[in-house]
Amino acid sequence: MMKTQLTLAPILFHWSAEKKLDFYARIADEAPVDVVYLGEVVCSKRTPFFEKHYDEVAERLKRGGKTVVFSTLAEVMLKRERNMIAGFCDLEDYEIEVNDTSALWHLSDKNYRVGSLMNVYNEDTMAYLVGLGATHFSLPPELPRSAIAILAQYAAQSGVTTEVQVFGRASLALSARCYHARAHGRIKDNCQFVCEEDPDGMPLVTIDKQEFLTVNGIQTLSHSYINLLGELSDLQQMGITHCRLVPHTQDMVAVANVFRDALDNKVSAGESVEKLTALDIAAPFSNGFWHGKPGHQWAGKPEIVQK
Amino acid sequence: MNRPELVCPAGTPSAMRTAVEAGADAVYCGFQNATNARNFPGLNFTVPELEKAVAHAHAGGTRVLLAVNTFPPAGKVNLWKEAVENGARLGVDAFIVADIGVANYIAKNYPGIRLHLSVQAAATTPEAIKFYCREFNVKRVVLPRIMTVPEIKMMADAIPCEIETFIFGNHGLMVEGRCSLTNYITGLSTNMDGVCSPAAQVQYIKDDVGNLSTRLGEFTIDCFSCDENAGYPTICKGRYLTAAHDGPYYAFEEPVSLNLSSLLPDLMAAGVTALKIEGRQRSRAYVKSVVTAYRRAVDSVMAGKDPEISGLLALTEGQKETQGAFKSKTWR
């Protein structure tokens, strides 16, 4: 069996260029991740802040032994956004991960990865996209184990690879409206980039003060962090080839080490969860989607407990 | 200007008969299972019911569009194929689909039946729509409710298929087909199960002073004082708290309904082929009023008259209406 690869998803939140540069420098030098996805997938207004740094960051990551993939915008509407997609689809030196069907129009003679914001729920859809050049599938976080097992098996037979998010907040919804701007009494066109104030997203709590969801511009995420440490061996056995970490402000090198050690069977699942908990993540863990339960729940092996 | 098709909701056989009588050019419906995006208890059609309904609709000159517009999870694809086979056998006029696998199955096996791309496919650009047209010979796209009228006009000029757009009804805030909020809270998925805020997990809880909390699963979605009308706890229409905002607020949108009656002439001039009324989950009375009013409005516009629609406001959710994203970019 091929060694399961660890990947780092694109940064979903609006971090300053400086913060991103520091982050990727450290990832390049220290994190045991095999693949790093770069690119802005949530809001095209944020792209000018980091565009000029991509070459430098990609080079640095490559020197650190990482494969670099560019992820495309998840919601494409404006002319400028459509041009961005066309530009990414023309990239020669890097693989791309597509997150919207707009990209598929441009990619008729090129291989590409399919991102987790694309709706690949079944083997028929997977087969069709493989026929059009897809080589790798990052699966939607809401898929239950039963469907993932079939997709992993089908992918292996078809010679393509599969990826499941094992850490970080789950993307739950996209909208045309910016909810960060709305919370501040603004609209998307004059948002003044208030989303930068919330590097892990803006918490929404219920009227009776229960932690609930997280807002990131046009994207809504879970409050809880997906944590599939207890499911890693199952995931490996069914043939999932890549495990995805979503970047947060916590020490992502330490997070990557916890997952790498767990994947390599150096540390037990229970102990790994304890180590992850020790990193002071300010939200509960969840794995409900995997177990076919409400996504926010923590289910699975009773001997693996959080906090 | 071409006369647009009025596409009306048929959640039940009796709603379908009502829509046909009220002047619907087409009705859309689904089977009683996860294969369509309104898989609610008490709604939708059995195979024998649809057989009768198709005959009745066709006799009245009304087309029947079958929604098979959810995303089958791996291992359950056969249920969707069965729905397609049944629809084809019963002579539906088009399938409304979102999943690439389902679209391919229909394009391959039933090339003679029209394929409409559901709003659940969230195709928001000419490129995305042209992709579906190229691959599956899609004849019509149902546009997401996130575009302004000028953007729709530009779209109409850029794509090789017809456009259907919503004009009235419930106004979902998230891009359809890209929302798993319900699954996160309840364990039932909008995309895979066709469920949004399932009634079985809804609770209304009254406190000592008469405030009413509406809950979904383990979470409070809103709280109403005694002089307010309590709304149904849909996650994207609840009130929440966040540090940047003073007190509880509608973080996503107020519970309003879409009503584009005054934009009707503009939409028709923009090149929209079909006008869709939302509400398969609504009553027969709703279907009758809305379809009748819009029938009159469309015919007025075609005759060069003012499409004044009165009385529709009472049917909107919480008696509040919006033109949503259609009127202006400032909605975003």
Side-chain angles (χ1 to χ4, degrees):
Chain A
M1 197 164 60
M2 191 183 100
K3 186 176 162 181
T4 309
Q5 299 205 359
L6 208 51
T7 76
L8 191 67
I11 296 168
L12 297 174
F13 308 100
H14 187 36
W15 295 1
S16 68
E18 208 171 41
K19 190 176 168 121
K20 283 184 180 173
L21 287 169
D22 289 348
F23 176 77
Y24 285 122
R26 196 159 169 246
I27 292 295
D29 296 343
E30 301 174 44
V33 299
D34 305 285
V35 181
V36 178
Y37 294 91
L38 296 177
E40 174 59 51
V41 304
V42 174
C43 178
S44 67
K45 287 186 70 178
R46 299 171 180 170
T47 51
F49 295 100
F50 201 65
E51 236 158 15
K52 59 174 181 279
H53 300 296
Y54 280 132
D55 283 339
E56 170 198 345
V57 168
E59 278 308 313
R60 175 106 195 231
L61 288 164
K62 281 203 289 192
R63 281 203 305 276
K66 324 296 186 205
T67 298
V68 174
V69 179
F70 278 90
S71 291
T72 68
L73 199 61
E75 187 181 83
V76 187
M77 283 186 68
L78 310 173
K79 183 76 186 151
R80 171 170 50 87
E81 296 166 347
R82 291 163 55 200
N83 291 341
M84 263 174 69
I85 297 292
F88 273 118
C89 294
D90 273 344
L91 273 184
E92 302 265 323
D93 304 334
Y94 294 98
E95 275 188 88
I96 65 163
E97 181 192 61
V98 305
N99 284 306
D100 181 88
T101 34
S102 302
L104 298 182
W105 171 254
H106 300 287
L107 289 165
S108 42
D109 52 2
K110 197 170 179 177
N111 289 337
Y112 53 90
R113 297 182 180 221
V114 174
S116 57
L117 293 161
M118 289 274 286
N119 283 352
V120 177
Y121 280 85
N122 57 69
E123 60 277 34
D124 287 10
T125 296
M126 183 179 268
Y128 197 84
L129 293 176
V130 170
L132 294 180
T135 57
H136 178 88
F137 292 84
S138 185
L139 301 175
E142 71 160 334
L143 274 177
R145 182 196 183 281
S146 54
I148 291 171
I150 294 167
L151 287 167
Q153 193 186 8
Y154 183 84
Q157 287 164 3
S158 315
V160 299
T161 44
T162 45
E163 180 167 335
V164 166
Q165 181 185 336
V166 295
F167 176 81
R169 289 192 158 135
S171 177
L172 298 177
L174 299 171
S175 170
R177 174 179 268 181
C178 176
Y179 301 125
H180 244 110
R182 181 174 168 83
H184 289 262
R186 297 175 193 163
I187 59 166
K188 195 177 172 186
D189 281 354
N190 81 25
C191 66
Q192 298 167 46
F193 300 98
V194 283
C195 54
E196 197 180 338
E197 293 171 12
D198 300 300
D200 285 306
M202 182 186 87
L204 276 187
V205 301
T206 64
I207 285 179
D208 48 2
K209 312 274 164 57
Q210 199 178 0
E211 288 166 325
F212 189 46
L213 297 170
T214 302
V215 162
N216 173 37
I218 61 151
Q219 182 184 41
T220 305
L221 300 108
S222 61
H223 168 66
S224 65
Y225 280 50
I226 286 183
N227 169 357
L228 295 189
L229 279 167
E231 289 71 23
L232 287 184
S233 60
D234 189 14
L235 215 136
Q236 285 174 297
Q237 273 161 27
M238 64 173 67
I240 293 294
T241 53
H242 294 64
C243 289
R244 188 174 182 105
L245 310 172
V246 166
H248 284 283
T249 55
Q250 284 82 32
D251 182 346
M252 289 305 294
V253 171
V255 170
N257 278 316
V258 169
F259 277 86
R260 188 68 262 166
D261 287 348
L263 284 168
D264 295 343
N265 281 319
K266 286 187 187 154
V267 180
S268 73
E271 207 182 315
S272 299
V273 173
E274 279 173 36
K275 286 188 162 185
L276 199 61
T277 306
L279 296 176
D280 271 343
I281 291 163
F285 295 136
S286 63
N287 57 13
F289 283 139
W290 176 268
H291 294 281
K293 297 195 160 132
H296 71 90
Q297 289 183 2
W298 179 249
K301 301 183 187 117
E303 70 272 21
I304 301 175
V305 287
Q306 61 166 315
K307 297 178 187 172
Chain B
M1 194 158 58
N2 291 321
R3 184 176 187 272
E5 185 176 305
L6 194 58
V7 181
C8 304
T12 59
S14 72
M16 190 186 288
R17 283 194 298 275
T18 304
V20 169
E21 279 156 27
D25 296 306
V27 288
Y28 63 101
C29 55
F31 285 121
Q32 283 176 5
N33 57 36
T35 61
N36 79 95
R38 289 285 184 281
N39 180 22
F40 302 166
L43 279 196
N44 297 321
F45 292 69
T46 62
V47 173
E49 280 169 355
L50 189 64
E51 185 165 14
K52 265 201 219 159
V54 169
H56 176 260
H58 283 174
T62 305
R63 288 178 284 280
V64 178
L65 319 178
L66 185 67
V68 192
N69 60 344
T70 39
F71 296 87
K76 295 186 181 170
V77 177
N78 279 341
L79 187 66
W80 276 254
K81 291 183 178 169
E82 210 175 90
V84 167
E85 283 155 18
N86 282 322
R89 188 169 49 78
L90 302 182
V92 300
D93 299 277
F95 291 111
I96 309 171
V97 300
D99 181 63
I100 286 176
V102 174
N104 182 47
Y105 180 75
I106 297 170
K108 253 189 168 160
N109 294 284
Y110 303 99
I113 304 181
R114 281 171 62 98
L115 209 49
H116 293 186
L117 191 65
S118 171
V119 68
Q120 305 289 330
T124 51
T125 64
E127 289 76 26
I129 295 164
K130 284 191 290 183
F131 167 77
Y132 287 101
C133 294
R134 178 182 75 196
E135 300 300 322
F136 311 115
N137 195 21
V138 161
K139 298 289 190 203
R140 177 184 294 178
V141 58
V142 185
L143 289 182
R145 276 164 270 204
I146 60 179
M147 300 168 84
T148 62
V149 176
E151 285 169 345
I152 293 173
K153 167 88 177 75
M154 270 168 25
M155 184 67 91
D157 295 338
I159 58 172
C161 69
E162 303 166 359
I163 287 178
E164 179 171 310
T165 185
F166 284 93
I167 50 169
F168 191 87
N170 182 29
H171 192 224
L173 261 296
M174 302 308 180
V175 179
E176 280 134 310
R178 309 188 87 170
C179 176
S180 36
L181 290 172
T182 287
N183 196 6
Y184 183 65
I185 300 307
T186 69
L188 290 169
S189 161
T190 306
N191 276 353
M192 296 183 279
D193 301 305
V195 168
C196 176
S197 286
Q201 296 195 38
V202 166
Q203 275 182 291
Y204 295 87
I205 297 168
K206 208 169 220 165
D207 73 9
D208 305 340
V209 290
N211 295 320
L212 191 67
S213 292
T214 57
R215 285 172 68 83
L216 182 68
E218 298 167 31
F219 297 89
T220 298
I221 302 301
D222 210 338
C223 183
F224 301 87
S225 61
C226 2
D227 56 349
E228 287 178 298
N229 278 336
Y232 189 81
T234 307
I235 299 168
C236 63
K237 292 177 182 171
R239 274 183 285 199
Y240 309 103
L241 300 165
T242 196
H245 199 282
D246 198 14
Y249 77 117
Y250 292 107
F252 305 107
E253 173 65 299
E254 295 173 25
V256 290
S257 286
L258 185 73
N259 183 358
L260 299 189
S261 48
S262 62
L263 292 178
L264 214 49
D266 299 341
L267 280 169
M268 286 161 67
V272 169
T273 302
L275 303 165
K276 185 168 211 156
I277 296 167
E278 189 277 343
R280 282 195 280 147
Q281 70 286 9
R282 302 293 297 265
S283 69
R284 215 174 57 176
Y286 165 92
V287 171
K288 187 174 178 187
S289 316
V290 180
V291 175
T292 304
Y294 268 99
R295 174 76 281 152
R296 210 180 299 134
V298 170
D299 293 346
S300 301
V301 176
M302 288 309 294
K305 291 186 229 151
D306 193 19
E308 210 34 67
I309 295 197
S310 50
L312 280 179
L313 199 54
L315 292 163
T316 59
E317 196 172 1
Q319 281 81 56
K320 274 183 265 179
E321 62 169 20
T322 178
Q323 293 175 328
F326 290 84
K327 179 84 176 167
S328 157
K329 283 204 304 177
T330 57
W331 178 84
R332 293 170 194 158

